[in-house]
Amino acid sequence: MNHHANILITYKSVTGFTKEYAERIAGELEPDIPCTLMDFQKVTVTEISKYDTVVFGSRLVGGTVDSLKKALDLFGQSSASRLLLFATGATPMEAQESISEMWQNNLTKTQLQDLPHFYMPSGLRYERMPWFEKMAMTIFSALMKRKKSKTGYEESLAQAIANSYDISSRDYVLPLVACLGADN
């Protein structure tokens, strides 16, 4: 079997955005490049070892890529040769400085250079959030609204997090898909 036909796309999704992006990636690759979609909860070292390339996607929680350490550990123990990473979050793509800072906080210098990583704006779905996260966001939102002198960023943040919204787009998967397709 040729190696590029051997791709696992695994995702950790809570409110659905990351799963939708994983499905979009698979949809862009197939039928030219077959791949397997799998919920990260079902992933084991043995499972990962069946693939040459692994794409791991997860959401950002408080600036941290959820389950990244576990994904890196599983990949490291497997025989898979290539890992690509994507993270979804409520930050719009225009906030490149924040996105770059987030990657620097989540990846080592070596990983930043060697591990292809992609950010995909998604949004917020309060109706699907675990109650404790919803509570934290509600409190944060209320504090932002009450703050007297807000910067422009804080003003737009306060408005953005007040309600659920969806800024996801098929366009955001294309750089990752192109990276995978470069192997062909």
Side-chain angles (χ1 to χ4, degrees):
M1 187 192 282
N2 51 5
H3 79 284
H4 57 266
N6 199 356
I7 299 172
L8 172 66
I9 302 170
T10 183
Y11 56 88
K12 169 128 191 230
S13 192
V14 173
T15 63
F17 284 117
T18 307
K19 181 180 185 201
E20 287 163 19
Y21 270 124
E23 289 167 348
R24 282 179 177 162
I25 293 164
E28 291 293 324
L29 292 173
E30 292 183 323
D32 306 332
I33 305 171
C35 53
T36 302
L37 264 174
M38 187 179 294
D39 189 308
F40 186 64
Q41 293 172 341
K42 297 179 182 142
V43 170
T44 62
V45 172
T46 309
E47 195 57 46
I48 289 178
S49 294
K50 294 176 187 172
Y51 300 89
D52 297 313
T53 299
V54 177
V55 176
F56 172 72
S58 190
R59 66 192 183 130
L60 288 166
V61 182
T64 301
V65 180
D66 193 9
S67 300
L68 177 59
K69 188 185 179 325
K70 183 178 179 196
L72 291 169
D73 287 347
L74 288 172
F75 176 78
Q77 295 171 47
S78 78
S79 62
S81 58
R82 186 164 183 232
L83 178 66
L84 288 84
L85 173 65
F86 73 92
T88 61
T91 304
M93 197 56 109
E94 293 74 38
Q96 281 300 312
E97 205 172 295
S98 301
I99 294 165
S100 175
E101 197 175 294
M102 175 276 296
W103 284 122
Q104 288 165 21
N105 293 336
N106 280 275
L107 301 173
T108 65
K109 276 196 168 76
T110 309
Q111 288 168 336
L112 283 167
Q113 286 177 316
D114 300 341
L115 178 63
H117 52 282
F118 304 87
Y119 175 71
M120 300 178 189
S122 52
L124 290 172
R125 287 182 176 146
Y126 283 109
E127 64 280 6
R128 294 198 197 166
M129 263 185 209
W131 70 268
F132 53 91
E133 286 179 27
K134 194 185 303 185
M135 201 63 142
M137 288 298 293
T138 304
I139 292 166
F140 182 64
S141 179
L143 291 173
M144 288 301 292
K145 278 183 197 151
R146 277 194 214 112
K147 190 174 178 193
K148 293 279 182 265
S149 55
K150 291 193 251 306
T151 65
Y153 172 75
E154 289 171 335
E155 189 63 56
S156 60
L157 180 66
Q159 288 172 358
I161 64 174
N163 300 293
S164 295
Y165 63 95
D166 183 345
I167 54 172
S168 65
S169 165
R170 169 187 171 260
D171 295 348
Y172 298 131
V173 306
L174 299 179
L176 188 151
V177 169
C179 189
L180 285 169
D183 280 357
N184 289 297

